Amino acid sequence: MSIWDSRALLIYCCCVAAVLGAVFGSFLNCAAWRIAHGRSFLKGRSICPSCSHELGAADLVPVFSWLFLKGRCRWCGAHIPARYPLTELAFALVTVLCLLRFDLTVLCLRNWIFLGCLFCLSLVDLEAYIIPDGCLLTALAAYLAALPLLRPGWAEIARGVLAGLLFGGGLLLLSLLMDKVLKKESLGGGDIKLFAVVGLYLGLVGTLFTMLLACVVGLLLGLLLRRGEGGKPIPFGPAISLAAAFVLLYGDGMINWYLGLLGLGT
C-alpha cells in the first residue's frame, strides 16, 4: 500500500503522521530537557520546571495545552517557553516530510527514528553542549535492525561503513591535530561520533554534502546564537543534524544536480 494510491489516503496518512510527530516531538523535548539536566527520561512523571508540580494529561496535549494555558503553568503561573509548542510543530513537520519522501515503508520508519535522534541530540547540545551517546546508539540500533528487512546489497553496506570510518576517523585525526595547534578543544568527540553515524545512513557522497552544508548552517547559527550570549561556544551538533536531515530527505536531487554540473550525472 502506498500513500499515493488516493488523495484521501494521502491526506489521512499525513494527518496521522502530523499528530504522531507532535506527540513524539513532545516526548523528545522532554527527554532532551531531562538528559541536559542529568535526569532519566525513562521514569518519573512530567513536572513543571518552576514549581515541580506533576503535570496531568490536560497539561501535556501537544501544542494545544500551551495555547489553552496561554503559555503559563496551570499551577504556579510560571511562563512556559515557546520552545515547547515550536519543537512539537517542528517534529510534526519532519514526520510528514519523512512520510512523503519514503512512503509507508520500513525505510521510512528507520529514517524517522534517525531523524528523531538527530532532533533530540540537537536540543540537548543547544542547552548542555553535549551530544548524548544514547541518541547515537539508538540511531545505530535502528540501522542494524532494519538491515534484514531492507536487504541492501553488500556494496551499499560497505559504502556506509566506509563513510562512517573515513569521516569519523578523519575528523578525529584532524581534531587531535587542531587541538595541539590551537591548545584547546577544536571539535567535540560527540560531533565526531555523530559524523560516523551519519556516514552509515548517507554514504560517502551524502556525508560529504552534509559536512559542507553543516559548515554553512553552523556559521548562520553562530551569527544568531552569539547575539547576547556573551561569547559562549556555539554547538555544532544542531548544524550537523539539520544538514544531515536535509540531505536524507532531499539529497538525491541535490547530489544529482551537482554531479550533472560536473558532467558526472547519470
Side-chain angles (χ1 to χ4, degrees), residues 163-244:
L165 292 175
L166 282 178
F167 284 94
L171 286 174
L172 175 60
L173 294 176
L174 180 61
S175 68
L176 292 175
L177 176 61
M178 294 302 294
D179 289 351
K180 289 186 177 181
V181 173
L182 300 175
K183 305 300 183 182
K184 63 179 182 179
E185 186 178 86
S186 56
L187 188 65
D191 298 329
I192 295 170
K193 289 182 283 187
L194 175 55
F195 265 115
V197 174
V198 169
L200 278 178
Y201 278 83
L202 300 182
L204 288 167
V205 178
T207 308
L208 177 60
F209 270 82
T210 297
M211 180 178 291
L212 297 174
L213 185 58
C215 292
V216 176
V217 175
L219 289 174
L220 295 176
L221 286 178
L223 292 174
L224 292 174
L225 296 180
R226 279 195 178 277
R227 296 179 180 177
E229 288 294 318
K232 289 183 179 179
I234 304 300
F236 195 36
I240 301 172
S241 298
L242 187 59

Side-chain angles (χ1 to χ4, degrees), residues 1-165:
M1 182 175 66
S2 169
I3 60 173
W4 305 104
D5 288 343
S6 70
R7 181 176 297 181
L9 181 62
L10 174 62
I11 295 173
Y12 172 77
C13 289
C14 286
C15 290
V16 172
V19 172
L20 178 63
V23 171
F24 199 65
S26 179
F27 166 76
L28 293 176
N29 194 25
C30 175
W33 187 89
R34 292 192 182 190
I35 293 171
H37 291 82
R39 301 181 184 180
S40 172
F41 65 90
L42 297 177
K43 59 182 179 180
R45 296 284 300 274
S46 295
I47 61 173
C48 170
S50 299
C51 66
S52 298
H53 195 287
E54 285 192 359
L55 303 180
D59 304 307
L60 299 173
V61 180
V63 182
F64 290 104
S65 288
W66 189 88
L67 292 175
F68 291 151
L69 294 173
K70 299 180 180 179
R72 296 193 175 276
C73 172
R74 182 193 304 273
W75 310 101
C76 67
H79 174 67
I80 301 173
R83 155 186 166 170
Y84 291 90
L86 290 178
T87 52
E88 292 161 358
L89 288 172
F91 200 70
L93 176 61
V94 167
T95 302
V96 172
L97 293 177
C98 185
L99 175 66
L100 293 175
R101 174 64 179 84
F102 300 106
D103 209 337
L104 295 171
T105 61
V106 173
L107 184 62
C108 180
L109 178 60
R110 187 202 73 172
N111 289 342
W112 182 66
I113 295 173
F114 177 51
L115 291 169
C117 293
L118 295 177
F119 196 85
C120 183
L121 68 85
S122 296
L123 294 176
V124 176
D125 202 18
L126 281 170
E127 186 160 349
Y129 302 100
I130 58 172
I131 293 180
D133 288 338
C135 291
L136 302 177
L137 291 174
T138 301
L140 177 60
Y143 177 86
L144 295 175
L147 285 179
L149 299 173
L150 295 175
R151 297 181 180 179
W154 287 108
E156 182 179 345
I157 296 176
R159 285 194 294 270
V161 173
L162 180 61
L165 292 175

